[in-house]
Amino acid sequence: MAWTQQEVRELKEGRYLIVDEEPCRILSIQTSKPGKHGEAKARIDAVGIFDGSKRSVVFPVKHKVLVPLIGKRQAQVLSMTEAEVQLMDLESYETFSLPILPETKDLLSPGAEVQFIEAMGKRRIHRT
């Protein structure tokens, strides 16, 4: 698994963090003021990159969290079936198959270039 550590106070909206072993994109961060004997806390709302489910966590602002290393790369569509698409990475020339998402099915065609996201051993088509 490729990840780094970062303090909660250094996180920003639109960046990524790992929640429940799933890489997520941060939607919003709300911080509270410290209490008499406590410390400031941050509520983070995030959505999973690969599963699309919303998650919400609360951490002290000095707490360290895991941040995934996200790779955005280009690939060329080699062939398609009804359920999956075969892609070739344009940097390493590695071929692999990914399931076709309903929203990208009409936009894909053999020979077209797409951008895919790779994080923690998982891949997904990001843009066509």
Side-chain angles (χ1 to χ4, degrees), residues 71-78 86-96 114 116 118 123:
K72 293 181 182 176
R73 300 169 77 172
Q74 297 281 51
Q76 182 178 8
V77 177
L78 296 178
Q86 186 177 20
L87 300 171
M88 178 181 66
D89 187 342
L90 293 177
E91 290 179 22
S92 65
Y93 302 109
E94 171 191 8
T95 59
F96 55 92
V114 296
F116 69 96
E118 185 174 29
R123 294 178 176 148

Side-chain angles (χ1 to χ4, degrees), residues 9 23 28 30 72 128:
R9 69 173 142 213
S28 67
Q30 297 142 3
K72 293 181 182 176
T128 56

Side-chain angles (χ1 to χ4, degrees), residues 9-63:
R9 69 173 142 213
E10 298 170 353
L11 297 175
K12 295 186 172 88
E13 292 179 11
R15 296 205 179 154
Y16 301 95
L17 100 136
I18 297 175
V19 180
D20 300 331
E21 300 293 323
E22 184 70 28
C24 299
R25 187 172 55 84
I26 298 172
L27 298 175
S28 67
I29 300 175
Q30 297 142 3
T31 56
S32 64
K33 293 183 179 179
K36 185 175 182 181
H37 298 289
E39 58 183 303
K41 295 196 174 35
R43 176 189 170 95
I44 301 171
D45 295 321
V47 63
I49 296 173
F50 299 108
D51 61 2
S53 64
K54 287 186 90 174
R55 294 172 171 86
S56 182
V57 291
V58 177
F59 292 119
V61 293
K62 293 182 181 179
H63 186 75

Side-chain angles (χ1 to χ4, degrees), residues 73-85:
R73 300 169 77 172
Q74 297 281 51
Q76 182 178 8
V77 177
L78 296 178
S79 65
M80 293 175 52
T81 64
E82 290 296 320
E84 64 181 27
V85 61

